[in-house]
Amino acid sequence: MTAGGPRLAVEGVSAGYDRITVLHDLTLAVAPGELLAVVGANGAGKTTMLRVVSGLLPARAGRVRLDGEDVTGRPAERLAGAGIAHVPENRLVFPGMSVADNLTLGAYSRRRAGRTAADEDRAIVWDLFPRLRDRALQSAGTLSGGEQQMLAIARGLMARPRLLLLDEPSLGLAPKLVTEIFSVLGRLRDRGDLAVVLVEQNARAALRIADRAVVLDRGRLLLEGTPDELLTDPRVQAAYLGRGYTPATT
Amino acid sequence: MIDLLQLVVAGLSTGAAYGLVGVGFVAIHSVTGIINLAQGEFAMVAGFVAIALLGAGFPLAAAAVAAVVTVAVLAGVIERVAVAPAAGSSAVVYIMLTLGVSTTLKATALLVAGPQPRALPAFTPGVLDLGGVQVRPQDLWILVATVIAAAALYVFLERTTTGRAFRACAEQPVAARLVGISPSRMSTLSWVLAGIVGAVAGVVSSPVFQTDWNIGLFLGLKGFVAASMGGLASIPAAILGGLLLGVVERLVAGYISSGLQDAVAFFLLIILLVARPSGVFGRTGAVARV
């Protein structure tokens, strides 16, 4: 582990499905304690990028490094134990199991760490998402969309990740819930060590809490900068924020 | 009335054996998507192993347990050696593969044990008279073994971390990988579980059905029908499906014609596949559940 180096480094990664290449020579980095927003249109390669980082999809070229260590090509089930938590698109909670069992499985990669460690982690995520505690014994399939999203994030946190990857956490949620979930993401980042990659189509909400942001376009890095820089960029305004958008004055 | 009760008891016991074999289909299919055509052969091999050990002087209980353990290991080895290397293949490849495994096991049994059927002795001899209903004690043994196997499976799946991981893999394979559950390990585990339930069925039903090299076809088909009642996705539904099939078979044999007994399963299967492909106890569009 190199002191002061990036938590995640994606170096010249290309990836795709069958004969289609989705990501082209993508390079980006995230520091510990940093929240990086990744915005872009449908099909820009945001989800593909996360799938490569978490090991669900092999890269065709390039390297992925976690704290300097080359983890390219390691399968997802092993990267979960190495500190990468990927909260996938559409939540993918275990619907037939209780909220509590979903959380227990979130700590699966650390199952040898013992019961007390898992209990501590559960207390932490219940503190972040008090609603989940109220529904601990309810089966996850009966939760609302917002609660399922909270559960998916909580399940990811149970692995004590160094890097948290979030794919469209705001998808299909009411604005109030988006605010609630994003404020938790802000709190996680403020703890100082966790690096967060937030993939969002809701660029406005994402840029509000991000430290830095990148814009992907057809599998390539289009822009990179602070949220303020991106919010005032005419290309971003036109393509991702809707015409006539003016940054909030607060 | 006595006749009816007698038929029902006998039907429940054969049905329990079908159900156990059916649970094996569910265990493998829900985690790997594979329909294991060698499922019935697990029962056949276990029957022969138990008979051989008994013949070699082991007590019946030890022979039975050793047969189950042997088949559990065999199933795990088959998964590692024959199935895992084909990971990612199409359904047709797996059908050919498991058919090949089935044929190999049958041919080996025929070479080693010969074509004559053999059988374990009934675990307890005699006939029980329960208020006029004549019951073979072996029928009760089959039911007791099924209850114990089902209860052990329930505790394993609901109360242990590995069991939860197994269910997670069946419910949501991508998310299961993301929390660190290895799909290939769970695949091996599913074969071992299928080996165990198949072996239990083969051992306890040997005194009733006898064991020969081809008994796996019979048990496998009946077990498949049982499992299909829950859309190959639910363990309780497979056991219920087995019990239902066993009872209906006996009633048809007793009241209509014993020649029709074996047609019942296929008649049920055809109706099922046409009318309710997701199973009698399954729900259309429901998520796979173990």
Side-chain angles (χ1 to χ4, degrees), chain A residues 13-25 43-49 57 60 216-220:
Chain A
V13 163
S14 299
Y17 309 88
D18 295 326
R19 268 177 289 173
I20 304 157
T21 304
V22 178
L23 280 186
H24 305 271
D25 192 23
K46 308 186 296 292
T47 295
T48 304
M49 186 267 289
L57 183 73
R60 289 181 178 168
L216 294 193
D217 183 55
R218 279 160 288 176
R220 291 186 168 82

mmCIF file with all atom_site columns, all heavy atoms in Angstrom, chain A residues 13-25 43-49 57 60 216-220:
data_model
loop_
_atom_site.group_PDB
_atom_site.id
_atom_site.type_symbol
_atom_site.label_atom_id
_atom_site.label_alt_id
_atom_site.label_comp_id
_atom_site.label_asym_id
_atom_site.label_entity_id
_atom_site.label_seq_id
_atom_site.pdbx_PDB_ins_code
_atom_site.Cartn_x
_atom_site.Cartn_y
_atom_site.Cartn_z
_atom_site.occupancy
_atom_site.B_iso_or_equiv
_atom_site.pdbx_formal_charge
_atom_site.auth_seq_id
_atom_site.auth_comp_id
_atom_site.auth_asym_id
_atom_site.auth_atom_id
_atom_site.pdbx_PDB_model_num
ATOM 1   N N   . VAL A 1 13  ? -8.435  1.135   -18.950 1.00 0.00 ? 13  VAL A N   1
ATOM 2   C CA  . VAL A 1 13  ? -9.279  -0.063  -19.023 1.00 0.00 ? 13  VAL A CA  1
ATOM 3   C C   . VAL A 1 13  ? -10.218 -0.019  -20.223 1.00 0.00 ? 13  VAL A C   1
ATOM 4   O O   . VAL A 1 13  ? -10.894 0.969   -20.478 1.00 0.00 ? 13  VAL A O   1
ATOM 5   C CB  . VAL A 1 13  ? -10.082 -0.232  -17.713 1.00 0.00 ? 13  VAL A CB  1
ATOM 6   C CG1 . VAL A 1 13  ? -11.253 -1.191  -17.917 1.00 0.00 ? 13  VAL A CG1 1
ATOM 7   C CG2 . VAL A 1 13  ? -9.173  -0.742  -16.607 1.00 0.00 ? 13  VAL A CG2 1
ATOM 8   N N   . SER A 1 14  ? -10.234 -1.129  -20.953 1.00 0.00 ? 14  SER A N   1
ATOM 9   C CA  . SER A 1 14  ? -11.248 -1.354  -21.985 1.00 0.00 ? 14  SER A CA  1
ATOM 10  C C   . SER A 1 14  ? -12.020 -2.602  -21.589 1.00 0.00 ? 14  SER A C   1
ATOM 11  O O   . SER A 1 14  ? -11.450 -3.540  -21.038 1.00 0.00 ? 14  SER A O   1
ATOM 12  C CB  . SER A 1 14  ? -10.608 -1.567  -23.357 1.00 0.00 ? 14  SER A CB  1
ATOM 13  O OG  . SER A 1 14  ? -9.876  -0.416  -23.724 1.00 0.00 ? 14  SER A OG  1
ATOM 14  N N   . ALA A 1 15  ? -13.321 -2.601  -21.876 1.00 0.00 ? 15  ALA A N   1
ATOM 15  C CA  . ALA A 1 15  ? -14.139 -3.762  -21.524 1.00 0.00 ? 15  ALA A CA  1
ATOM 16  C C   . ALA A 1 15  ? -15.410 -3.738  -22.344 1.00 0.00 ? 15  ALA A C   1
ATOM 17  O O   . ALA A 1 15  ? -15.782 -2.703  -22.911 1.00 0.00 ? 15  ALA A O   1
ATOM 18  C CB  . ALA A 1 15  ? -14.484 -3.759  -20.034 1.00 0.00 ? 15  ALA A CB  1
ATOM 19  N N   . GLY A 1 16  ? -16.066 -4.884  -22.427 1.00 0.00 ? 16  GLY A N   1
ATOM 20  C CA  . GLY A 1 16  ? -17.316 -4.933  -23.175 1.00 0.00 ? 16  GLY A CA  1
ATOM 21  C C   . GLY A 1 16  ? -17.955 -6.290  -23.080 1.00 0.00 ? 16  GLY A C   1
ATOM 22  O O   . GLY A 1 16  ? -17.560 -7.134  -22.264 1.00 0.00 ? 16  GLY A O   1
ATOM 23  N N   . TYR A 1 17  ? -18.970 -6.468  -23.918 1.00 0.00 ? 17  TYR A N   1
ATOM 24  C CA  . TYR A 1 17  ? -19.721 -7.714  -23.929 1.00 0.00 ? 17  TYR A CA  1
ATOM 25  C C   . TYR A 1 17  ? -19.732 -8.262  -25.344 1.00 0.00 ? 17  TYR A C   1
ATOM 26  O O   . TYR A 1 17  ? -20.009 -7.526  -26.291 1.00 0.00 ? 17  TYR A O   1
ATOM 27  C CB  . TYR A 1 17  ? -21.170 -7.472  -23.469 1.00 0.00 ? 17  TYR A CB  1
ATOM 28  C CG  . TYR A 1 17  ? -21.264 -6.707  -22.168 1.00 0.00 ? 17  TYR A CG  1
ATOM 29  C CD1 . TYR A 1 17  ? -21.293 -5.322  -22.170 1.00 0.00 ? 17  TYR A CD1 1
ATOM 30  C CD2 . TYR A 1 17  ? -21.293 -7.385  -20.955 1.00 0.00 ? 17  TYR A CD2 1
ATOM 31  C CE1 . TYR A 1 17  ? -21.362 -4.609  -20.987 1.00 0.00 ? 17  TYR A CE1 1
ATOM 32  C CE2 . TYR A 1 17  ? -21.363 -6.688  -19.761 1.00 0.00 ? 17  TYR A CE2 1
ATOM 33  C CZ  . TYR A 1 17  ? -21.400 -5.304  -19.782 1.00 0.00 ? 17  TYR A CZ  1
ATOM 34  O OH  . TYR A 1 17  ? -21.462 -4.606  -18.597 1.00 0.00 ? 17  TYR A OH  1
ATOM 35  N N   . ASP A 1 18  ? -19.431 -9.551  -25.493 1.00 0.00 ? 18  ASP A N   1
ATOM 36  C CA  . ASP A 1 18  ? -19.369 -10.168 -26.805 1.00 0.00 ? 18  ASP A CA  1
ATOM 37  C C   . ASP A 1 18  ? -18.526 -9.330  -27.769 1.00 0.00 ? 18  ASP A C   1
ATOM 38  O O   . ASP A 1 18  ? -17.378 -9.059  -27.493 1.00 0.00 ? 18  ASP A O   1
ATOM 39  C CB  . ASP A 1 18  ? -20.783 -10.406 -27.371 1.00 0.00 ? 18  ASP A CB  1
ATOM 40  C CG  . ASP A 1 18  ? -21.551 -11.414 -26.524 1.00 0.00 ? 18  ASP A CG  1
ATOM 41  O OD1 . ASP A 1 18  ? -20.906 -12.341 -25.999 1.00 0.00 ? 18  ASP A OD1 1
ATOM 42  O OD2 . ASP A 1 18  ? -22.768 -11.250 -26.373 1.00 0.00 ? 18  ASP A OD2 1
ATOM 43  N N   . ARG A 1 19  ? -19.126 -8.928  -28.874 1.00 0.00 ? 19  ARG A N   1
ATOM 44  C CA  . ARG A 1 19  ? -18.298 -8.207  -29.844 1.00 0.00 ? 19  ARG A CA  1
ATOM 45  C C   . ARG A 1 19  ? -18.367 -6.692  -29.659 1.00 0.00 ? 19  ARG A C   1
ATOM 46  O O   . ARG A 1 19  ? -17.790 -5.930  -30.420 1.00 0.00 ? 19  ARG A O   1
ATOM 47  C CB  . ARG A 1 19  ? -18.723 -8.581  -31.269 1.00 0.00 ? 19  ARG A CB  1
ATOM 48  C CG  . ARG A 1 19  ? -17.909 -9.754  -31.791 1.00 0.00 ? 19  ARG A CG  1
ATOM 49  C CD  . ARG A 1 19  ? -18.377 -10.173 -33.162 1.00 0.00 ? 19  ARG A CD  1
ATOM 50  N NE  . ARG A 1 19  ? -19.678 -10.824 -33.103 1.00 0.00 ? 19  ARG A NE  1
ATOM 51  C CZ  . ARG A 1 19  ? -20.386 -11.168 -34.176 1.00 0.00 ? 19  ARG A CZ  1
ATOM 52  N NH1 . ARG A 1 19  ? -19.958 -10.897 -35.373 1.00 0.00 ? 19  ARG A NH1 1
ATOM 53  N NH2 . ARG A 1 19  ? -21.545 -11.775 -34.032 1.00 0.00 ? 19  ARG A NH2 1
ATOM 54  N N   . ILE A 1 20  ? -19.098 -6.255  -28.622 1.00 0.00 ? 20  ILE A N   1
ATOM 55  C CA  . ILE A 1 20  ? -19.246 -4.815  -28.415 1.00 0.00 ? 20  ILE A CA  1
ATOM 56  C C   . ILE A 1 20  ? -18.269 -4.344  -27.341 1.00 0.00 ? 20  ILE A C   1
ATOM 57  O O   . ILE A 1 20  ? -18.220 -4.917  -26.247 1.00 0.00 ? 20  ILE A O   1
ATOM 58  C CB  . ILE A 1 20  ? -20.677 -4.483  -27.958 1.00 0.00 ? 20  ILE A CB  1
ATOM 59  C CG1 . ILE A 1 20  ? -21.669 -5.023  -28.989 1.00 0.00 ? 20  ILE A CG1 1
ATOM 60  C CG2 . ILE A 1 20  ? -20.850 -2.984  -27.766 1.00 0.00 ? 20  ILE A CG2 1
ATOM 61  C CD1 . ILE A 1 20  ? -23.036 -5.243  -28.432 1.00 0.00 ? 20  ILE A CD1 1
ATOM 62  N N   . THR A 1 21  ? -17.494 -3.348  -27.665 1.00 0.00 ? 21  THR A N   1
ATOM 63  C CA  . THR A 1 21  ? -16.636 -2.741  -26.660 1.00 0.00 ? 21  THR A CA  1
ATOM 64  C C   . THR A 1 21  ? -17.362 -1.531  -26.079 1.00 0.00 ? 21  THR A C   1
ATOM 65  O O   . THR A 1 21  ? -17.804 -0.655  -26.812 1.00 0.00 ? 21  THR A O   1
ATOM 66  C CB  . THR A 1 21  ? -15.289 -2.312  -27.265 1.00 0.00 ? 21  THR A CB  1
ATOM 67  O OG1 . THR A 1 21  ? -14.700 -3.469  -27.864 1.00 0.00 ? 21  THR A OG1 1
ATOM 68  C CG2 . THR A 1 21  ? -14.365 -1.780  -26.201 1.00 0.00 ? 21  THR A CG2 1
ATOM 69  N N   . VAL A 1 22  ? -17.526 -1.536  -24.754 1.00 0.00 ? 22  VAL A N   1
ATOM 70  C CA  . VAL A 1 22  ? -18.300 -0.479  -24.109 1.00 0.00 ? 22  VAL A CA  1
ATOM 71  C C   . VAL A 1 22  ? -17.370 0.591   -23.531 1.00 0.00 ? 22  VAL A C   1
ATOM 72  O O   . VAL A 1 22  ? -17.610 1.779   -23.666 1.00 0.00 ? 22  VAL A O   1
ATOM 73  C CB  . VAL A 1 22  ? -19.199 -1.067  -23.006 1.00 0.00 ? 22  VAL A CB  1
ATOM 74  C CG1 . VAL A 1 22  ? -19.964 0.042   -22.301 1.00 0.00 ? 22  VAL A CG1 1
ATOM 75  C CG2 . VAL A 1 22  ? -20.169 -2.090  -23.603 1.00 0.00 ? 22  VAL A CG2 1
ATOM 76  N N   . LEU A 1 23  ? -16.283 0.135   -22.902 1.00 0.00 ? 23  LEU A N   1
ATOM 77  C CA  . LEU A 1 23  ? -15.342 1.082   -22.304 1.00 0.00 ? 23  LEU A CA  1
ATOM 78  C C   . LEU A 1 23  ? -14.089 1.144   -23.161 1.00 0.00 ? 23  LEU A C   1
ATOM 79  O O   . LEU A 1 23  ? -13.567 0.116   -23.581 1.00 0.00 ? 23  LEU A O   1
ATOM 80  C CB  . LEU A 1 23  ? -14.916 0.611   -20.916 1.00 0.00 ? 23  LEU A CB  1
ATOM 81  C CG  . LEU A 1 23  ? -15.838 0.848   -19.739 1.00 0.00 ? 23  LEU A CG  1
ATOM 82  C CD1 . LEU A 1 23  ? -15.113 0.426   -18.469 1.00 0.00 ? 23  LEU A CD1 1
ATOM 83  C CD2 . LEU A 1 23  ? -16.276 2.291   -19.645 1.00 0.00 ? 23  LEU A CD2 1
ATOM 84  N N   . HIS A 1 24  ? -13.611 2.375   -23.432 1.00 0.00 ? 24  HIS A N   1
ATOM 85  C CA  . HIS A 1 24  ? -12.423 2.540   -24.251 1.00 0.00 ? 24  HIS A CA  1
ATOM 86  C C   . HIS A 1 24  ? -11.345 3.255   -23.451 1.00 0.00 ? 24  HIS A C   1
ATOM 87  O O   . HIS A 1 24  ? -11.482 4.438   -23.166 1.00 0.00 ? 24  HIS A O   1
ATOM 88  C CB  . HIS A 1 24  ? -12.738 3.364   -25.514 1.00 0.00 ? 24  HIS A CB  1
ATOM 89  C CG  . HIS A 1 24  ? -13.861 2.783   -26.319 1.00 0.00 ? 24  HIS A CG  1
ATOM 90  N ND1 . HIS A 1 24  ? -13.669 1.848   -27.300 1.00 0.00 ? 24  HIS A ND1 1
ATOM 91  C CD2 . HIS A 1 24  ? -15.196 3.001   -26.276 1.00 0.00 ? 24  HIS A CD2 1
ATOM 92  C CE1 . HIS A 1 24  ? -14.835 1.516   -27.836 1.00 0.00 ? 24  HIS A CE1 1
ATOM 93  N NE2 . HIS A 1 24  ? -15.769 2.207   -27.227 1.00 0.00 ? 24  HIS A NE2 1
ATOM 94  N N   . ASP A 1 25  ? -10.312 2.529   -23.084 1.00 0.00 ? 25  ASP A N   1
ATOM 95  C CA  . ASP A 1 25  ? -9.110  3.140   -22.528 1.00 0.00 ? 25  ASP A CA  1
ATOM 96  C C   . ASP A 1 25  ? -9.436  4.158   -21.427 1.00 0.00 ? 25  ASP A C   1
ATOM 97  O O   . ASP A 1 25  ? -9.009  5.297   -21.472 1.00 0.00 ? 25  ASP A O   1
ATOM 98  C CB  . ASP A 1 25  ? -8.322  3.806   -23.679 1.00 0.00 ? 25  ASP A CB  1
ATOM 99  C CG  . ASP A 1 25  ? -6.926  4.210   -23.254 1.00 0.00 ? 25  ASP A CG  1
ATOM 100 O OD1 . ASP A 1 25  ? -6.421  3.608   -22.280 1.00 0.00 ? 25  ASP A OD1 1
ATOM 101 O OD2 . ASP A 1 25  ? -6.368  5.130   -23.868 1.00 0.00 ? 25  ASP A OD2 1
ATOM 102 N N   . GLY A 1 43  ? -25.901 4.024   -21.294 1.00 0.00 ? 43  GLY A N   1
ATOM 103 C CA  . GLY A 1 43  ? -25.001 3.406   -22.259 1.00 0.00 ? 43  GLY A CA  1
ATOM 104 C C   . GLY A 1 43  ? -23.633 4.051   -22.324 1.00 0.00 ? 43  GLY A C   1
ATOM 105 O O   . GLY A 1 43  ? -22.829 3.726   -23.180 1.00 0.00 ? 43  GLY A O   1
ATOM 106 N N   . ALA A 1 44  ? -23.346 4.964   -21.394 1.00 0.00 ? 44  ALA A N   1
ATOM 107 C CA  . ALA A 1 44  ? -22.049 5.634   -21.424 1.00 0.00 ? 44  ALA A CA  1
ATOM 108 C C   . ALA A 1 44  ? -20.941 4.732   -20.891 1.00 0.00 ? 44  ALA A C   1
ATOM 109 O O   . ALA A 1 44  ? -19.762 5.024   -21.053 1.00 0.00 ? 44  ALA A O   1
ATOM 110 C CB  . ALA A 1 44  ? -22.107 6.929   -20.612 1.00 0.00 ? 44  ALA A CB  1
ATOM 111 N N   . GLY A 1 45  ? -21.319 3.632   -20.237 1.00 0.00 ? 45  GLY A N   1
ATOM 112 C CA  . GLY A 1 45  ? -20.310 2.711   -19.719 1.00 0.00 ? 45  GLY A CA  1
ATOM 113 C C   . GLY A 1 45  ? -20.113 2.799   -18.217 1.00 0.00 ? 45  GLY A C   1
ATOM 114 O O   . GLY A 1 45  ? -19.178 2.205   -17.678 1.00 0.00 ? 45  GLY A O   1
ATOM 115 N N   . LYS A 1 46  ? -21.010 3.517   -17.530 1.00 0.00 ? 46  LYS A N   1
ATOM 116 C CA  . LYS A 1 46  ? -20.849 3.710   -16.080 1.00 0.00 ? 46  LYS A CA  1
ATOM 117 C C   . LYS A 1 46  ? -20.943 2.377   -15.335 1.00 0.00 ? 46  LYS A C   1
ATOM 118 O O   . LYS A 1 46  ? -20.083 2.040   -14.516 1.00 0.00 ? 46  LYS A O   1
ATOM 119 C CB  . LYS A 1 46  ? -21.931 4.669   -15.537 1.00 0.00 ? 46  LYS A CB  1
ATOM 120 C CG  . LYS A 1 46  ? -22.026 5.987   -16.302 1.00 0.00 ? 46  LYS A CG  1
ATOM 121 C CD  . LYS A 1 46  ? -22.993 6.960   -15.660 1.00 0.00 ? 46  LYS A CD  1
ATOM 122 C CE  . LYS A 1 46  ? -24.440 6.516   -15.624 1.00 0.00 ? 46  LYS A CE  1
ATOM 123 N NZ  . LYS A 1 46  ? -25.109 6.445   -16.954 1.00 0.00 ? 46  LYS A NZ  1
ATOM 124 N N   . THR A 1 47  ? -22.010 1.622   -15.627 1.00 0.00 ? 47  THR A N   1
ATOM 125 C CA  . THR A 1 47  ? -22.190 0.341   -14.952 1.00 0.00 ? 47  THR A CA  1
ATOM 126 C C   . THR A 1 47  ? -21.080 -0.638  -15.329 1.00 0.00 ? 47  THR A C   1
ATOM 127 O O   . THR A 1 47  ? -20.550 -1.353  -14.477 1.00 0.00 ? 47  THR A O   1
ATOM 128 C CB  . THR A 1 47  ? -23.569 -0.247  -15.310 1.00 0.00 ? 47  THR A CB  1
ATOM 129 O OG1 . THR A 1 47  ? -24.570 0.618   -14.785 1.00 0.00 ? 47  THR A OG1 1
ATOM 130 C CG2 . THR A 1 47  ? -23.752 -1.635  -14.728 1.00 0.00 ? 47  THR A CG2 1
ATOM 131 N N   . THR A 1 48  ? -20.696 -0.629  -16.605 1.00 0.00 ? 48  THR A N   1
ATOM 132 C CA  . THR A 1 48  ? -19.618 -1.511  -17.059 1.00 0.00 ? 48  THR A CA  1
ATOM 133 C C   . THR A 1 48  ? -18.331 -1.226  -16.289 1.00 0.00 ? 48  THR A C   1
ATOM 134 O O   . THR A 1 48  ? -17.624 -2.142  -15.875 1.00 0.00 ? 48  THR A O   1
ATOM 135 C CB  . THR A 1 48  ? -19.409 -1.328  -18.569 1.00 0.00 ? 48  THR A CB  1
ATOM 136 O OG1 . THR A 1 48  ? -20.644 -1.563  -19.224 1.00 0.00 ? 48  THR A OG1 1
ATOM 137 C CG2 . THR A 1 48  ? -18.360 -2.281  -19.109 1.00 0.00 ? 48  THR A CG2 1
ATOM 138 N N   . MET A 1 49  ? -18.059 0.058   -16.071 1.00 0.00 ? 49  MET A N   1
ATOM 139 C CA  . MET A 1 49  ? -16.851 0.428   -15.338 1.00 0.00 ? 49  MET A CA  1
ATOM 140 C C   . MET A 1 49  ? -16.900 -0.163  -13.926 1.00 0.00 ? 49  MET A C   1
ATOM 141 O O   . MET A 1 49  ? -15.930 -0.773  -13.460 1.00 0.00 ? 49  MET A O   1
ATOM 142 C CB  . MET A 1 49  ? -16.746 1.961   -15.318 1.00 0.00 ? 49  MET A CB  1
ATOM 143 C CG  . MET A 1 49  ? -15.470 2.509   -14.709 1.00 0.00 ? 49  MET A CG  1
ATOM 144 S SD  . MET A 1 49  ? -15.650 2.856   -12.957 1.00 0.00 ? 49  MET A SD  1
ATOM 145 C CE  . MET A 1 49  ? -16.717 4.290   -12.999 1.00 0.00 ? 49  MET A CE  1
ATOM 146 N N   . LEU A 1 57  ? -16.892 -8.372  -14.309 1.00 0.00 ? 57  LEU A N   1
ATOM 147 C CA  . LEU A 1 57  ? -16.616 -8.426  -15.742 1.00 0.00 ? 57  LEU A CA  1
ATOM 148 C C   . LEU A 1 57  ? -15.105 -8.278  -15.942 1.00 0.00 ? 57  LEU A C   1
ATOM 149 O O   . LEU A 1 57  ? -14.501 -7.355  -15.413 1.00 0.00 ? 57  LEU A O   1
ATOM 150 C CB  . LEU A 1 57  ? -17.357 -7.265  -16.436 1.00 0.00 ? 57  LEU A CB  1
ATOM 151 C CG  . LEU A 1 57  ? -17.253 -7.188  -17.950 1.00 0.00 ? 57  LEU A CG  1
ATOM 152 C CD1 . LEU A 1 57  ? -18.084 -8.277  -18.601 1.00 0.00 ? 57  LEU A CD1 1
ATOM 153 C CD2 . LEU A 1 57  ? -17.739 -5.814  -18.438 1.00 0.00 ? 57  LEU A CD2 1
ATOM 154 N N   . ARG A 1 60  ? -10.642 -6.099  -20.811 1.00 0.00 ? 60  ARG A N   1
ATOM 155 C CA  . ARG A 1 60  ? -9.959  -6.597  -22.008 1.00 0.00 ? 60  ARG A CA  1
ATOM 156 C C   . ARG A 1 60  ? -8.569  -5.989  -22.122 1.00 0.00 ? 60  ARG A C   1
ATOM 157 O O   . ARG A 1 60  ? -7.703  -6.529  -22.799 1.00 0.00 ? 60  ARG A O   1
ATOM 158 C CB  . ARG A 1 60  ? -10.771 -6.249  -23.253 1.00 0.00 ? 60  ARG A CB  1
ATOM 159 C CG  . ARG A 1 60  ? -12.028 -7.090  -23.302 1.00 0.00 ? 60  ARG A CG  1
ATOM 160 C CD  . ARG A 1 60  ? -12.838 -6.786  -24.528 1.00 0.00 ? 60  ARG A CD  1
ATOM 161 N NE  . ARG A 1 60  ? -14.012 -7.649  -24.537 1.00 0.00 ? 60  ARG A NE  1
ATOM 162 C CZ  . ARG A 1 60  ? -15.043 -7.482  -25.341 1.00 0.00 ? 60  ARG A CZ  1
ATOM 163 N NH1 . ARG A 1 60  ? -15.043 -6.490  -26.197 1.00 0.00 ? 60  ARG A NH1 1
ATOM 164 N NH2 . ARG A 1 60  ? -16.062 -8.288  -25.276 1.00 0.00 ? 60  ARG A NH2 1
ATOM 165 N N   . LEU A 1 216 ? -18.739 10.499  -18.300 1.00 0.00 ? 216 LEU A N   1
ATOM 166 C CA  . LEU A 1 216 ? -18.438 9.503   -19.323 1.00 0.00 ? 216 LEU A CA  1
ATOM 167 C C   . LEU A 1 216 ? -19.353 9.728   -20.516 1.00 0.00 ? 216 LEU A C   1
ATOM 168 O O   . LEU A 1 216 ? -20.516 10.072  -20.363 1.00 0.00 ? 216 LEU A O   1
ATOM 169 C CB  . LEU A 1 216 ? -18.670 8.079   -18.801 1.00 0.00 ? 216 LEU A CB  1
ATOM 170 C CG  . LEU A 1 216 ? -17.781 7.535   -17.694 1.00 0.00 ? 216 LEU A CG  1
ATOM 171 C CD1 . LEU A 1 216 ? -17.974 6.036   -17.567 1.00 0.00 ? 216 LEU A CD1 1
ATOM 172 C CD2 . LEU A 1 216 ? -16.329 7.857   -17.953 1.00 0.00 ? 216 LEU A CD2 1
ATOM 173 N N   . ASP A 1 217 ? -18.775 9.518   -21.694 1.00 0.00 ? 217 ASP A N   1
ATOM 174 C CA  . ASP A 1 217 ? -19.579 9.641   -22.895 1.00 0.00 ? 217 ASP A CA  1
ATOM 175 C C   . ASP A 1 217 ? -19.166 8.534   -23.857 1.00 0.00 ? 217 ASP A C   1
ATOM 176 O O   . ASP A 1 217 ? -18.010 8.486   -24.273 1.00 0.00 ? 217 ASP A O   1
ATOM 177 C CB  . ASP A 1 217 ? -19.372 11.028  -23.511 1.00 0.00 ? 217 ASP A CB  1
ATOM 178 C CG  . ASP A 1 217 ? -20.246 11.224  -24.739 1.00 0.00 ? 217 ASP A CG  1
ATOM 179 O OD1 . ASP A 1 217 ? -21.473 11.057  -24.618 1.00 0.00 ? 217 ASP A OD1 1
ATOM 180 O OD2 . ASP A 1 217 ? -19.684 11.513  -25.813 1.00 0.00 ? 217 ASP A OD2 1
ATOM 181 N N   . ARG A 1 218 ? -20.092 7.659   -24.197 1.00 0.00 ? 218 ARG A N   1
ATOM 182 C CA  . ARG A 1 218 ? -19.848 6.518   -25.075 1.00 0.00 ? 218 ARG A CA  1
ATOM 183 C C   . ARG A 1 218 ? -18.546 5.784   -24.725 1.00 0.00 ? 218 ARG A C   1
ATOM 184 O O   . ARG A 1 218 ? -17.703 5.514   -25.578 1.00 0.00 ? 218 ARG A O   1
ATOM 185 C CB  . ARG A 1 218 ? -19.852 6.963   -26.541 1.00 0.00 ? 218 ARG A CB  1
ATOM 186 C CG  . ARG A 1 218 ? -21.281 7.088   -27.078 1.00 0.00 ? 218 ARG A CG  1
ATOM 187 C CD  . ARG A 1 218 ? -21.360 7.954   -28.292 1.00 0.00 ? 218 ARG A CD  1
ATOM 188 N NE  . ARG A 1 218 ? -21.174 9.366   -27.953 1.00 0.00 ? 218 ARG A NE  1
ATOM 189 C CZ  . ARG A 1 218 ? -21.116 10.344  -28.839 1.00 0.00 ? 218 ARG A CZ  1
ATOM 190 N NH1 . ARG A 1 218 ? -21.197 10.089  -30.112 1.00 0.00 ? 218 ARG A NH1 1
ATOM 191 N NH2 . ARG A 1 218 ? -20.974 11.577  -28.446 1.00 0.00 ? 218 ARG A NH2 1
ATOM 192 N N   . GLY A 1 219 ? -18.385 5.523   -23.436 1.00 0.00 ? 219 GLY A N   1
ATOM 193 C CA  . GLY A 1 219 ? -17.268 4.699   -22.995 1.00 0.00 ? 219 GLY A CA  1
ATOM 194 C C   . GLY A 1 219 ? -15.948 5.414   -22.834 1.00 0.00 ? 219 GLY A C   1
ATOM 195 O O   . GLY A 1 219 ? -14.925 4.781   -22.568 1.00 0.00 ? 219 GLY A O   1
ATOM 196 N N   . ARG A 1 220 ? -15.958 6.728   -23.022 1.00 0.00 ? 220 ARG A N   1
ATOM 197 C CA  . ARG A 1 220 ? -14.713 7.477   -22.868 1.00 0.00 ? 220 ARG A CA  1
ATOM 198 C C   . ARG A 1 220 ? -14.905 8.574   -21.837 1.00 0.00 ? 220 ARG A C   1
ATOM 199 O O   . ARG A 1 220 ? -16.018 9.049   -21.607 1.00 0.00 ? 220 ARG A O   1
ATOM 200 C CB  . ARG A 1 220 ? -14.289 8.100   -24.198 1.00 0.00 ? 220 ARG A CB  1
ATOM 201 C CG  . ARG A 1 220 ? -13.862 7.076   -25.212 1.00 0.00 ? 220 ARG A CG  1
ATOM 202 C CD  . ARG A 1 220 ? -13.301 7.749   -26.463 1.00 0.00 ? 220 ARG A CD  1
ATOM 203 N NE  . ARG A 1 220 ? -12.639 6.763   -27.300 1.00 0.00 ? 220 ARG A NE  1
ATOM 204 C CZ  . ARG A 1 220 ? -13.274 5.952   -28.158 1.00 0.00 ? 220 ARG A CZ  1
ATOM 205 N NH1 . ARG A 1 220 ? -14.594 6.038   -28.298 1.00 0.00 ? 220 ARG A NH1 1
ATOM 206 N NH2 . ARG A 1 220 ? -12.596 5.088   -28.866 1.00 0.00 ? 220 ARG A NH2 1
#
